[in-house]
Amino acid sequence: MTAIFTFTLLILFQISFGEELNEEKRLLLSDPQQIQSEIHALQQEVEHFKVLAAEFQAQKQENQALKAEVADLKQTFGLQEADLNQRFGLLESSSQKSGSIYIRWGKHSCPKLNGTELVYEGTAGGSYYTETGNGANTLCLPHDPELLPDHFTLKSDGGHFSHIYGGEYQFSLGKVVVQDDVPCSVCRVKMATSSMMIPAKRSCSIGWSKQYSGLLTANTYYANKNEYLCVDEDPDFIERSRQNENGRLFYPVKTICGTLPCPPYKNATLVSCVLCTM
């Protein structure tokens, strides 16, 4: 009985409290100040959303401008890269057509330096050491000569011809001995425009690059003249019989004081040499 009474009171309290809440809501909605306050709050929220929309639009425009700038930069960079590649290609092509050539006497190969390449290797050739004619210069004759065709015939005045012979060492140095045949190699320095042989030096001047150093050679003093040539200080030889066939002979050069100032030179000493490029 008591429980039923208590339950009944709770239901009546809830009904009464609910009616009071509904009445309070009706009073708030009918209050002009409350309505004005709600409208003002809504207006503030609308203004806030307008500000956010304006900021979003500005950010969108800024992003579009940045995208356009990036596209321009990409296009500009692409053109610059293409221009650089073209210029580099032209420089590389130009470097393939330019350079400086020299002969390395006494070697089968060119120095293992950056920008130096072998054009061809061969054997030294020139005038016989006692003949008064022929050519004065020494040649690097390739190992794979191409002969004139059979139909290429001519008649020389008086039947006379010039001669060319192979070269022989007339000294022993390292692995070569007297009578060994002299090899040579034609070298090209791609990143250079000048080359020179400096006698009596083993180093190059400032700004020049050393290709090799060696021993100054020429014909013997009592025979016919030929060139002063710089033979590599670590000479090679051509593999064949070591017969004394003479030909274009390579003798070491020694100093003779008198007209040659001593000092700085010293009498009867071998002369060094170096090949430099720039």
Side-chain angles (χ1 to χ4, degrees):
M1 185 68 179
T2 303
I4 295 173
F5 178 74
T6 303
F7 179 73
T8 303
L9 289 177
L10 287 174
I11 292 175
L12 292 173
F13 176 77
Q14 289 178 352
I15 293 172
S16 176
F17 183 73
E19 290 177 350
E20 289 179 0
L21 288 176
N22 291 331
E23 183 66 23
E24 183 179 359
K25 286 182 180 180
R26 285 194 294 272
L27 290 173
L28 289 173
L29 290 174
S30 62
D31 186 0
Q33 292 183 350
Q34 181 65 31
I35 293 172
Q36 186 66 31
S37 177
E38 293 291 338
I39 292 173
H40 181 69
L42 288 173
Q43 288 176 340
Q44 287 184 333
E45 289 184 5
V46 170
E47 291 298 326
H48 178 66
F49 283 123
K50 286 182 179 180
V51 172
L52 290 177
E55 291 179 351
F56 175 77
Q57 187 65 24
Q59 186 65 43
K60 183 178 179 181
Q61 292 177 351
E62 184 178 356
N63 289 341
Q64 290 176 346
L66 288 173
K67 287 181 180 179
E69 185 176 355
V70 169
D72 291 340
L73 288 173
K74 284 183 177 180
Q75 183 178 7
T76 302
F77 178 76
L79 291 175
Q80 289 178 348
E81 184 178 11
D83 183 59
L84 288 173
N85 289 335
Q86 182 181 10
R87 290 175 181 270
F88 179 76
L90 290 175
L91 288 173
E92 189 176 34
S93 176
S94 176
S95 68
Q96 293 295 326
K97 298 177 182 178
S98 62
S100 183
I101 299 289
Y102 70 87
I103 300 176
R104 188 184 190 188
W105 299 104
K107 296 294 288 186
H108 294 293
S109 61
C110 296
K112 294 182 179 179
L113 301 175
N114 185 29
T116 302
E117 63 181 10
L118 176 69
V119 180
Y120 72 88
E121 62 173 303
T123 181
S127 178
Y128 196 84
Y129 78 109
T130 58
E131 291 183 352
T132 57
N134 305 318
N137 59 318
T138 306
L139 303 176
C140 185
L141 301 170
H143 291 311
D144 55 346
E146 297 176 354
L147 304 179
L148 290 169
D150 294 337
H151 67 269
F152 196 94
T153 58
L154 57 80
K155 292 183 179 180
S156 175
D157 182 24
H160 298 295
F161 293 88
S162 178
H163 299 153
I164 189 168
Y165 297 84
E168 285 186 353
Y169 292 113
Q170 296 300 295
F171 59 88
S172 297
L173 175 64
K175 54 182 173 286
V176 307
V177 297
V178 177
Q179 314 309 345
D180 274 342
D181 295 331
V182 182
C184 55
S185 55
V186 177
C187 306
R188 173 175 172 262
V189 187
K190 292 183 288 186
M191 305 304 293
T193 57
S194 303
S195 61
M196 66 175 176
M197 187 271 286
I198 306 177
K201 293 289 289 185
R202 291 179 51 80
S203 60
C204 298
S205 304
I206 296 176
W208 290 77
S209 299
K210 177 180 175 180
Q211 293 290 319
Y212 74 94
S213 56
L215 176 71
L216 193 66
T217 66
N219 198 5
T220 182
Y221 71 93
Y222 57 80
N224 289 298
K225 296 179 179 63
N226 60 26
E227 294 175 284
Y228 288 105
L229 296 178
C230 186
V231 172
D232 194 280
E233 61 191 20
D234 181 27
D236 298 329
F237 61 94
I238 298 175
E239 297 285 351
R240 49 176 288 179
S241 62
R242 292 174 169 173
Q243 296 181 5
N244 184 15
E245 297 175 331
N246 292 318
R248 198 300 191 189
L249 303 183
F250 285 72
Y251 283 90
V253 174
K254 283 190 175 183
T255 54
I256 302 296
C257 290
T259 51
L260 184 68
C262 298
Y265 290 92
K266 185 178 179 180
N267 190 54
T269 57
L270 295 172
V271 181
S272 62
C273 54
V274 65
L275 196 294
C276 306
T277 56
M278 181 174 66

